[in-house]
Amino acid sequence: MHDTSAVWDPLNVGFLSTQEGFDTTTALGRLVLNLLASLAEFELELIRERVTARMERAKREGKQIGRPKVTDDPQRARALTRAVQQVRSGEKSYRRAAKEVGIALATLQRAVRQTP
């Protein structure tokens, strides 16, 4: 809203909110808008701090953060290796091999690039 206000001010355009009851063409309206923006920014920073603290705690406790890798499951890792071999030999297309293994196309493409 600050960016919008910076564009509107030189044009003598204001914002009137009938529901919230403030008008940016007045000093009080600009104050209310700035207070709301500051509170929103404060809340966003609190959320970031809590998320960061929880992620650090989870790492310290040895918990995995994020989506599990396909290679974490031995059965799926073997299926991925087999799919890579089928794609390289020309036996199957990328899409078909990925669909049969049950992985994303991008995952198979990355595996083909990274596997020697």
Side-chain angles (χ1 to χ4, degrees), residues 31-99:
L31 174 66
V32 169
L33 179 66
N34 283 315
L35 283 172
L36 290 174
S38 294
L39 288 171
E41 185 177 350
F42 174 70
E43 179 62 25
L44 184 61
E45 288 180 23
L46 286 178
I47 291 169
R48 282 186 186 135
E49 288 175 4
R50 287 193 302 261
V51 168
T52 302
R54 288 181 182 148
M55 288 179 69
E56 288 173 357
R57 186 181 78 204
K59 283 181 184 178
R60 279 193 312 271
E61 293 173 357
K63 294 182 182 175
Q64 180 179 343
I65 297 174
R67 186 178 180 143
K69 295 180 180 175
V70 173
T71 55
D72 288 349
D73 177 11
Q75 184 177 354
R76 292 191 76 197
R78 284 191 300 274
L80 176 62
T81 303
R82 196 169 43 255
V84 167
Q85 292 168 349
Q86 291 171 337
V87 166
R88 285 196 173 146
S89 69
E91 184 180 333
K92 291 188 181 169
S93 69
Y94 277 92
R95 288 188 193 281
R96 185 169 179 179
K99 187 175 182 179

